[in-house]
Amino acid sequence: MTFLEYAVIGYFVGILTSAPVGPVNIMAIQHAVHSGFRQAVYVGLGAVMADSIFATAALFGISAVTNFIEGQFDLIEIVGGGLLIVFGIRIWNTHPHLDKEGNVRDHGFLGDAAAAFFMAITNPGAVLAFIAIFGALGDYRPEHGNHVGALVMVTGVAGGATSWWILVSAAVSHFRARINDRWLDRANHIAGVILIAFGALIYLNLALDTFG
């Protein structure tokens, strides 16, 4: 695969892992509602730093592991596909709450980014999500030893995550009067369906390879 393909795949992984509405999304949305676009982007950039670390650890870790378990890619994809479906169901059943009346204090770029970073980096489910997604990619992730390809994919993840936070910040700032818990539920339902569909497609691909 080419570096461009790795970057594009990483880009969509970055969007996919950022989309579920969790604590950082709530924090960014509240900042967008109360303080506008810029403060929400600051929050998002903190999450991007955490996601980049998770992606690096997961991608390089998987590359190292696959060097020792060569020939077990089907098992990795089976486990990864199952985790994606489980994560999708959990995200579907999560009901975030937005406090539109609460006090949101702006702490500048470093303060808001740091708060989001530590909120994201302490979430153990996030690194599992990256491991599941990269593990399920199979031949679509860089081979062991392809460090440049891995870095390109991580860069793509950061780019996708950044694009997501800019989009969310801009949309919420513009439509702040319409954002409510029902809107957040709908966003989680969409993200959950995408994850479940991704996991199902992995199993379909394995079935076609096995019985086709």
Side-chain angles (χ1 to χ4, degrees):
M1 295 185 66
T2 66
F3 290 150
L4 178 60
E5 289 172 320
Y6 288 143
V8 170
I9 292 172
Y11 184 87
F12 284 105
V13 169
I15 293 175
L16 183 62
T17 52
S18 299
V21 180
V24 179
N25 270 279
I26 292 294
M27 182 181 176
I29 291 170
Q30 286 180 331
H31 275 69
V33 168
H34 292 281
S35 307
F37 171 79
R38 187 178 64 180
Q39 292 300 134
V41 171
Y42 291 165
V43 172
L45 291 178
V48 171
M49 288 187 286
D51 285 348
S52 298
I53 292 173
F54 285 141
T56 301
L59 192 58
F60 279 89
I62 287 173
S63 295
V65 170
T66 53
N67 187 48
F68 295 99
I69 57 172
E70 193 170 329
Q72 300 299 318
F73 292 113
D74 286 352
L75 177 60
I76 294 174
E77 291 184 355
I78 289 171
V79 174
L83 286 173
L84 289 179
I85 292 173
V86 170
F87 287 140
I89 293 172
R90 288 185 62 184
I91 290 168
W92 175 281
N93 290 322
T94 300
H95 303 287
H97 173 65
L98 175 65
D99 182 10
K100 297 182 74 172
E101 303 301 325
N103 260 336
V104 175
R105 296 182 59 190
D106 298 333
H107 301 286
F109 168 73
L110 289 178
D112 287 331
F117 172 80
F118 285 111
M119 189 180 295
I121 205 72
T122 55
N123 178 11
V127 69
L128 291 177
F130 276 105
I131 290 173
I133 292 172
F134 286 133
L137 285 177
D139 294 335
Y140 293 100
R141 67 171 180 268
E143 297 179 355
H144 175 68
N146 186 359
H147 301 310
V148 176
L151 287 174
V152 169
M153 186 168 282
V154 170
T155 302
V157 170
T162 301
S163 298
W164 170 259
W165 292 112
I166 291 174
L167 175 63
V168 167
S169 301
V172 173
S173 298
H174 186 73
F175 298 105
R176 64 178 70 183
R178 303 181 186 181
I179 303 299
N180 53 33
D181 288 0
R182 185 177 179 183
W183 185 90
L184 298 179
D185 272 342
R186 195 170 299 154
N188 263 8
H189 288 168
I190 293 172
V193 166
I194 292 173
L195 285 172
I196 293 169
F198 192 10
L201 284 173
I202 290 169
Y203 286 132
L204 177 61
N205 184 60
L206 283 171
L208 291 175
D209 289 342
T210 303
F211 303 107

